[in-house]
Amino acid sequence: RLLRVLRIARVLQHVPELLVIIRGLGIALRAITVVLGLIGIIIYVAAIVMRSLLDGTALGSAHFSDVSSGMGTLLLDCTLSGSRGTALIREAHAEHPVFAILLLFFVLLANVTMMGVLTGLLVQTVKTVAEVEKEESTIAQLKMTMNELWTCVSRHDDDGDDAITEKEFINVMSSKETETIMKSMGVDMEGLLNVSSFVFEQYGGALRKHDFMGVVLDLRGNKKASVKDHVETRKFIHAELKKWPGIE
């Protein structure tokens, strides 16, 4: 039995999508329990109502003889049934249209609304887990790439101070290896070169590993703009305007 469990674990490793679904179910377990509990309450209340209203009728004797039978009927024929209680609603209509309307209202509430909420909850949770998994994988890959990039940068550190100056940075950017790494990360190299003077002014003329990594990550093409980016843009424009004579 233990070997079978280990085989299942191996299968999960080779099928990450299945693991994502299982993790999603685990995360959404509390919310799922709440929704299922609410559905149970709705079925219980509806069974009591239908048991009282249909008492003494043929439909009541067949499907709602007691509360437990009524709950079973509403669960199997209306909530979980693919026909959404069509046959039962037709029988109720034969007794009285009001009974059919009540059953239709129950189907809309329990089957269409609550089951729809449950489905949406599961889909959204699994989607969120998948996005988190993807982001974690991207970050891990990004860290490896960034370390590789800094190794490449360190080769151009002529003074050996574990920091890169603007001149050294220009030499780094002319390297084919650096260009390949930058492109794999989605970095806008032209934009990085255009703002390099401004960046080095902000950091006192030299960038250490942490600062360099931050600048490179901020200039990825798929990175969304933040408040920090807008502030940096204003500083850059202000610095450029100061270079023009007569402009304060």
Side-chain angles (χ1 to χ4, degrees), residues 218-229:
D218 285 341
L219 286 172
R220 286 179 298 161
N222 60 353
K223 182 180 180 294
K224 295 182 180 180
S226 62
V227 175
K228 176 188 172 184
D229 297 321

Side-chain angles (χ1 to χ4, degrees), residues 9 25 37 39 41 44-45 63 70 74 80 82 98 106 122 142 145 149 165 177 199 217 222 226 236:
L25 290 173
I39 292 175
I41 292 172
Y44 177 69
V45 173
H63 300 286
L74 293 174
L80 301 180
V98 173
F106 171 81
L122 288 172
L142 197 58
T145 307
L149 177 61
T165 63
E177 183 180 0
V199 169
L217 291 176
N222 60 353
S226 62
F236 175 73

